[in-house]
Amino acid sequence: MISMVMVAVGVYARLLKHAEAAMACLAVDPAILLVVVGVLTFLITFCGCVGSLRENICLLQAFSICLTIIFLLQLAAGVLGFVFSDKARGKVSEIINGAIVHYRDDLDLQNLIDFGQKEFSCCGGVSYKDWSQNMYFNCTAANPSRERCSVPFSCCLRDTDQAVINTMCGQGMQAMSYLEASAFIYTNGCIDKLVNWIHSNLFLLGGIALGLAVPQLVGILLAQILINQIRDQIKLQLYNQQHRADPWY
């Protein structure tokens, strides 16, 4: 049921987007990610649920194999991310830069970036000047946009006394130096902030990873136990049928 809700929400969000914007940033669209995760979750849970109810060995084996693959992929991603931290950092930087380029093309992506910058008190990937990669915020003389050399409002320092958000607070910040801009916006990039947050919350992330791994391992174990019980029942039935057909039994 949860996976079906995820798919429905993802499809609904996708249909609300303009066709041009939807095709422009398929790789970074949160709606597409929601649909893909929802479909995969539905298929896996369908195999486990129907396989256990109908005592179908093929579905149970598919359920167990899928959980095993997901667990191994998670384990491999964690190990590779730790061992090749520089490459992982470069991949994250690539994803963030791609999201910056399509910031105005997708409302969901825009809200996601604004949320991340406000939560981590950061701006851009490496620095606030990364927003020059966006065609609207590009800080060149040839850019006719009114937002030239600006940054999103989510980069601005928070004012607790301000009742209404000033969405133009980042106007012209890229034209300023780091010292001048730091009085108005967050100048540090989100990559460093994210890395520091991960380092300071390793126990929390480890607990989350363990919380995700334990149900998967339990599901694999229970599926294998049920498969063995079904096979034992089949063997017992075949044994009884053979002996009933034996005239000397």
Side-chain angles (χ1 to χ4, degrees):
M1 294 297 295
I2 294 175
S3 61
M4 293 177 65
V5 171
M6 291 173 62
V7 172
V9 172
V11 171
Y12 177 73
R14 191 68 184 171
L15 293 176
L16 288 180
K17 302 177 188 293
H18 295 293
E20 296 82 2
M23 294 302 295
C25 49
L26 284 173
V28 291
D29 190 356
I32 289 294
L33 180 62
L34 196 63
V35 171
V36 171
V37 173
V39 170
L40 292 177
T41 304
F42 175 79
L43 292 176
I44 295 172
T45 53
F46 177 83
C47 291
C49 181
V50 176
S52 59
L53 291 175
R54 303 296 298 176
E55 295 186 349
N56 189 301
I57 293 179
C58 292
L59 290 178
L60 288 173
Q61 284 180 334
F63 173 75
S64 179
I65 291 172
C66 288
L67 284 184
T68 303
I69 292 174
I70 292 174
F71 174 76
L72 292 177
L73 288 176
Q74 291 174 346
L75 183 62
V79 173
L80 292 175
F82 180 78
V83 175
F84 302 101
S85 57
D86 292 337
K87 292 185 178 180
R89 182 189 178 97
K91 187 62 178 179
V92 172
S93 178
E94 181 182 340
I95 294 174
I96 292 178
N97 289 333
I100 289 175
V101 171
H102 296 290
Y103 176 76
R104 290 294 192 203
D105 299 336
D106 189 336
L107 184 59
D108 292 334
L109 181 63
Q110 179 176 325
N111 292 333
L112 182 62
I113 294 175
D114 287 334
F115 173 79
Q117 291 190 147
K118 286 187 289 186
E119 286 297 314
F120 288 101
S121 300
C122 59
C123 186
V126 178
S127 72
Y128 68 101
K129 292 193 176 183
D130 288 341
W131 280 103
S132 192
Q133 300 177 63
N134 186 278
M135 61 181 297
Y136 299 99
F137 300 124
N138 184 263
C139 194
T140 58
N143 185 12
S145 173
R146 289 185 176 182
E147 296 181 302
R148 182 171 64 90
C149 294
S150 300
V151 294
F153 73 94
S154 54
C155 291
C156 298
L157 299 175
R158 299 176 187 176
D159 188 358
T160 56
D161 298 331
Q162 190 176 15
V164 180
I165 297 176
N166 179 16
T167 57
M168 300 300 292
C169 59
Q171 191 75 23
M173 291 298 161
Q174 291 188 58
M176 298 183 182
S177 64
Y178 279 86
L179 185 59
E180 293 174 334
S182 61
F184 305 97
I185 63 171
Y186 303 112
T187 54
N188 293 326
C190 293
I191 296 177
D192 291 333
K193 289 281 187 175
L194 180 61
V195 171
N196 293 334
W197 183 86
I198 292 175
H199 287 164
S200 59
N201 292 274
L202 287 177
F203 288 106
L204 175 62
L205 295 175
I208 294 175
L210 183 62
L212 293 174
V214 169
Q216 293 174 1
L217 293 175
V218 171
I220 295 170
L221 179 62
L222 293 178
Q224 291 300 320
I225 291 175
L226 184 55
I227 289 172
N228 292 331
Q229 290 178 348
I230 295 172
R231 286 175 175 170
D232 292 339
Q233 290 178 358
I234 293 174
K235 290 179 181 179
L236 180 61
Q237 290 177 356
L238 293 175
Y239 177 82
N240 292 333
Q241 290 176 358
Q242 290 174 354
H243 283 75
R244 286 173 185 168
D246 189 354
W248 297 102
Y249 176 71

